[in-house]
Each structure stands twice: as structure tokens, then as C-alpha cells.
């Protein structure tokens, strides 16, 4: 990736005013400057229509925006196609049905440990543990990885927020080491290896050859790193919203079939994943701005999914009306392959929490602390349940 061109900035994505309330800041930018330049994010797109254009034109807006092997996130067709076909097999309805009882046990056990009638910090007590334990259970990884992975999330977030590329590289290698260790253990076990997702990956083939360890590490890194952060953010956002809307929480307790649509709509209103990247392959106009070839674009999901031109009142909870245009899991060739897993996990956990409670409420005097870019949701969220 080349260094960004020098030109006047339209905004500062890292300014205190933006970081204090990212969603509100993006709403304002969508009105003021919907295609905006900054040295930090290059071109940022805030409108739903512009984002949809990018998502459905990979020839012009390439996913190959990473300096590292990233399968399949940083690939375009035709290279992308066989890897995406391989990955889709892990998220079929049959695979989700197999995992559902495992996920239910993880969710139920965590909800049972939560304090009753006394305030507690939700991110530490539920959101991060559920993200780590759920992903480890899906991959077939041992419980002993729960603690190091939770510690890894904190270090990765701190380095990313600080923009410390050297630290980010070291931390990425640490994570790759966890994956590689699991591959070695399964190879050494031979026929006695557990028949889990990680073992199945060792037997995959692509382009008429065995998939390499480097490719497996890249695939699992994309699954797990993204899953840990966005899942924890999603849990915090959902609990915060239900605490602020007790009538909705009561309805979902008695109408659990509505959970999936409700969760998608809440996460449209407050996105758990802020942005993704693309890079232009040729000069192109977006909005009224000229963008040269080789320039980076930042797709701001947190803005596009609140565009008044599509959703009218972006804060209005209207899952039926907004379902078709919701970009929670993206769209086009790179729509999130792990969406079925995320939907399952969020539905299972939310139902477990609602079934186990009569009241979920925020605690007066304990102001939620918002997460800062590139994270979303909450750093700290104190709640009380009864």
C-alpha cells in the first residue's frame, strides 16, 4: 500500500469529537461530506448507495487492500472463488444445527454466573467471555486458550487504537502461534485427532492441491479475529439497547421467533463493525469526488446502515421495513461467510439472557464508556439484572 496523497482533509476520524460518539459523527458527515478525505482513512464513504456500488463492483473496487495474506477477505475473483466455496461449507444450515446445542451450553453456563440484583460490568462478565468461548467451541479449541485469547484481544485493541504497527505485527504473530499449535497437535494425533473444524481444515484442498498451513492460518485468523471483536461488541450493543427499551425486551421474551430480526435491526442502528477497506483499480468518480487508481476506500458500515435516504429515521426500530437494505453482514461477493454462525450465537445468547431475567437495566451514575475506532460498541457497560 502506498502512502496517502497529500490533500486538504475533510475531517479527522481520530478527533475527540468523533471518537466521543462515532455514530453521531458519521451521521453528521453523511449530511455534510458523504465522500470525505482524511490522511488516516483515505476516502470514507458514508452513504448507502455509494457503499452498495462498491460492494457490487469488485472489478473497480478491489478487496486486495491488505499487505498480508488474507483469505478470502483480501481476494478478488477468480482467486477468491475456490477459497470462498471451501469456507462456505463450514457455515451451512447442517453445520449450524450441529453447533447449536454446544453454543447453548456455553451461553447458558455464562448467564448462570452473572450476579443478580447487583451491578456488574457486562463486557468483562459476559461479552468477551462469550466471544472467546463460543469461538473456541466452534473451532474445537481447548478451554486453556480462553484466558490467553481474552488477554490477546486487549493487547490487539490497544495496539490498533494507538496505531502501533510494530506492536500489531508482534501481536498478530502471537495469534498465528495459537493456530499453528492446534494444527501441530492434530497432525501429531493422527487418526485420534478430534473431528472438529480445525481438523477438517487440515484435509482441505484447493486448486487440486492440499491447502497450506499458511492458508489455514489466514482463514482461521480472519474467522477468529473478526469474530472475537465484533461478537463482543454485538453483545454489549444488544444488552444496552434492551436495557433502554424494556418493552421490546418483554416482547422478545414472549415472542422468541422475532429475535433474529430484532437483533439485526438493533445492530443496524448501532453497528458492531465500523468499517472495511477497498482499493480502486482505476480512476473513478464517487459522488462528486474524483478518486485515482490505487487509492484506499473505507466503507463505513456504521454510516451506510443509518442513511436517511434508505431508512428514513435511522434510529427508529423497524426490522420488517429495514430488513432488505440492512448491511449488517455486507452484500455482494464478500457478504460475511460467517453470518450464519454470528446469527446463531447472538440469538442463542440473547434468548438465554432474556429467559433468565425479568429486568435488564442500566445503572444510574454508571455512564457507559463507548469503544473507539476501529472498535465499536462499549468499552465498559454496567448493568443490573433481576
Amino acid at each position: 500500500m502506498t502512502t496517502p496523497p497529500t490533500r486538504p482533509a475533510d475531517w479527522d476520524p481520530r478527533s475527540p469529537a468523533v471518537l466521543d460518539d462515532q455514530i453521531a459523527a458519521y451521521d453528521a458527515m453523511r449530511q455534510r461530506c458523504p465522500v470525505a478525505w482524511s490522511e488516516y482513512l483515505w476516502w470514507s464513504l458514508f452513504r448507502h448507495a455509494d457503499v452498495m456500488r462498491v460492494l457490487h463492483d469488485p472489478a473497480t473496487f478491489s478487496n486486495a487492500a491488505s499487505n498480508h495474506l488474507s483469505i478470502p477477505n483480501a481476494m478478488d475473483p477468480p482467486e477468491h472463488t475456490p477459497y470462498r466455496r471451501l469456507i462456505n461449507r463450514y457455515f451451512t444450515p447442517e453445520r449450524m444445527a450441529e453447533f447449536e446445542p454446544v453454543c447453548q451450553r456455553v451461553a447458558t453456563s455464562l448467564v448462570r454466573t452473572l450476579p443478580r440484583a447487583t451491578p456488574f460490568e457486562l463486557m468483562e462478565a459476559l461479552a468477551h467471555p462469550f466471544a472467546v468461548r463460543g469461538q473456541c467451541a466452534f473451532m474445537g479449541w481447548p478451554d486453556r486458550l480462553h484466558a490467553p485469547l481474552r488477554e490477546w484481544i486487549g493487547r490487539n485493541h490497544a495496539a490498533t487504537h494507538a496505531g502501533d504497527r510494530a506492536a500489531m505485527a508482534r501481536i498478530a504473530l502471537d495469534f498465528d502461534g495459537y493456530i499453528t499449535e492446534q494444527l501441530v497437535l492434530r497432525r501429531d494425533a493422527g487418526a485420534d485427532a478430534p473431528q472438529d473444524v480445525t481438523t477438517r481444515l487440515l484435509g482441505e484442498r484447493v486448486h487440486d492441491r492440499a491447502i497450506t498451513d499458511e492458508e489455514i492460518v489466514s482463514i482461521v485468523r480472519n474467522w477468529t479475529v473478526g469474530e472475537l471483536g465484533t461478537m463482543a461488541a454485538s453483545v454489549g450493543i444488544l444488552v444496552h439497547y434492551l436495557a433502554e427499551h424494556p418493552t421490546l425486551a418483554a416482547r422478545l421474551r414472549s415472542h422468541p421467533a422475532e429475535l433474529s430480526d430484532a437483533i439485526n435491526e438493533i445492530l443496524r442502528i448501532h453497528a458492531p463493525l465500523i468499517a472495511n477497506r477497498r482499493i480502486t483499480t482505476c480512476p473513478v468518480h464517487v459522488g462528486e469526488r474524483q478518486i485515482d487508481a490505487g487509492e484506499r476506500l473505507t466503507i463505513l458500515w456504521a454510516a451506510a446502515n443509518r442513511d436517511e435516504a434508505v431508512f428514513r429515521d435511522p434510529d427508529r426500530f423497524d426490522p420488517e421495513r429495514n430488513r432488505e437494505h440492512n448491511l449488517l453482514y455486507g452484500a455482494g461477493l464478500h457478504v460475511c461467510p460467517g453470518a450464519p454462525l454470528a446469527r446463531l450465537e447472538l440469538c442463542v445468547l440473547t434468548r438465554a439472557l432474556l429467559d433468565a431475567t425479568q429486568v435488564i437495566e442500566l445503572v444510574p451514575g454508571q455512564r457507559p464508556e463507548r469503544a473507539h475506532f476501529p472498535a465499536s460498541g462499549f468499552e465498559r457497560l454496567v448493568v443490573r439484572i433481576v
Side-chain angles (χ1 to χ4, degrees):
M1 183 76 65
T2 59
T3 57
T6 301
R7 54 169 66 97
D10 297 309
W11 71 311
D12 180 1
R14 293 184 289 183
S15 72
V18 171
L19 295 179
D20 184 59
D21 189 343
Q22 294 178 110
I23 304 299
Y26 301 156
D27 284 348
M29 284 299 298
R30 191 173 54 253
Q31 301 297 322
R32 181 176 72 82
C33 187
V35 182
W37 170 263
S38 68
E39 185 175 343
Y40 181 53
L41 295 181
W42 293 41
W43 295 102
S44 295
L45 308 185
F46 296 87
R47 289 186 299 213
H48 192 278
D50 292 335
V51 168
M52 287 294 286
R53 176 187 172 190
V54 169
L55 298 179
H56 290 286
D57 185 4
T60 303
F61 304 100
S62 169
N63 258 63
S66 174
N67 293 324
H68 308 286
L69 181 66
S70 180
I71 301 172
N73 297 20
M75 290 178 168
D76 299 315
E79 181 186 30
H80 167 268
T81 305
Y83 291 101
R84 180 58 189 254
R85 188 181 300 120
L86 179 160
I87 287 166
N88 284 346
R89 295 198 292 268
Y90 288 82
F91 301 100
T92 62
E94 294 76 19
R95 296 290 190 199
M96 295 303 97
E98 289 175 11
F99 181 62
E100 185 170 0
V102 178
C103 185
Q104 287 175 336
R105 288 194 292 271
V106 171
T108 301
S109 65
L110 281 169
V111 169
R112 284 175 179 165
T113 68
L114 299 177
R116 296 301 195 270
T118 185
F120 66 92
E121 203 286 297
L122 182 107
M123 302 306 293
E124 180 70 18
L126 181 63
H128 289 299
F130 179 70
V132 168
R133 294 186 190 186
Q135 188 66 6
C136 284
F138 178 71
M139 296 300 303
W141 294 353
D143 292 353
R144 63 179 175 78
L145 283 181
H146 293 170
L149 284 176
R150 287 187 65 185
E151 190 265 342
W152 182 90
I153 292 172
R155 290 191 293 124
N156 186 57
H157 175 69
T160 304
H161 181 59
D164 187 339
R165 295 190 177 278
M168 289 164 63
R170 291 194 301 272
I171 292 165
L173 285 175
D174 289 345
F175 187 84
D176 291 356
Y178 297 136
I179 303 171
T180 301
E181 178 194 33
Q182 294 304 309
L183 299 181
V184 170
L185 288 171
R186 282 158 178 76
R187 280 205 178 95
D188 289 347
D192 295 326
Q195 294 307 301
D196 54 28
V197 167
T198 306
T199 300
R200 286 199 295 270
L201 282 168
L202 283 168
E204 293 289 2
R205 298 181 64 82
V206 68
H207 302 309
D208 295 322
R209 60 166 175 79
I211 193 170
T212 68
D213 280 10
E214 182 185 18
E215 289 168 328
I216 295 174
V217 167
S218 178
I219 290 169
V220 176
R221 186 196 309 121
N222 278 328
W223 285 355
T224 307
V225 173
E227 175 75 3
L228 295 179
T230 55
M231 180 56 59
S234 295
V235 172
I237 291 166
L238 290 169
V239 174
H240 180 267
Y241 194 91
L242 293 173
E244 287 200 320
H245 299 83
T247 302
L248 175 62
R251 175 166 182 82
L252 294 175
R253 284 189 182 93
S254 58
H255 295 80
E258 298 177 11
L259 263 175
S260 184
D261 268 357
I263 289 168
N264 288 348
E265 177 69 347
I266 293 167
L267 299 180
R268 178 198 63 78
I269 293 169
H270 185 165
L273 177 65
I274 293 290
N276 279 136
R277 295 182 298 174
R278 297 292 191 273
I279 188 168
T280 53
T281 62
C282 60
V284 63
H285 274 89
V286 181
E288 297 181 354
R289 309 300 291 266
Q290 171 66 37
I291 300 176
D292 294 332
E295 295 207 54
R296 192 176 79 190
L297 294 152
T298 301
I299 295 172
L300 283 164
W301 308 112
N305 243 358
R306 293 175 51 82
D307 190 339
E308 298 84 354
V310 175
F311 302 105
R312 293 193 298 200
D313 178 358
D315 285 308
R316 182 183 177 188
F317 178 85
D318 193 349
E320 185 174 351
R321 179 188 183 279
N322 296 329
R323 182 188 303 126
E324 182 182 351
H325 303 291
N326 192 338
L327 294 175
L328 174 61
Y329 296 106
L333 286 170
H334 289 278
V335 65
C336 178
L341 176 62
R343 291 191 186 102
L344 170 66
E345 290 181 328
L346 291 171
C347 282
V348 166
L349 179 65
T350 306
R351 183 165 186 176
L353 184 62
L354 290 172
D355 286 348
T357 61
Q358 294 177 315
V359 175
I360 303 170
E361 61 184 9
L362 302 179
V363 177
Q366 296 283 349
R367 184 174 180 265
E369 295 179 12
R370 294 187 179 95
H372 291 164
F373 187 93
S376 185
F378 301 95
E379 284 287 338
R380 188 170 183 273
L381 180 64
V382 179
V383 300
R384 188 178 76 94
I385 61 175
V386 179

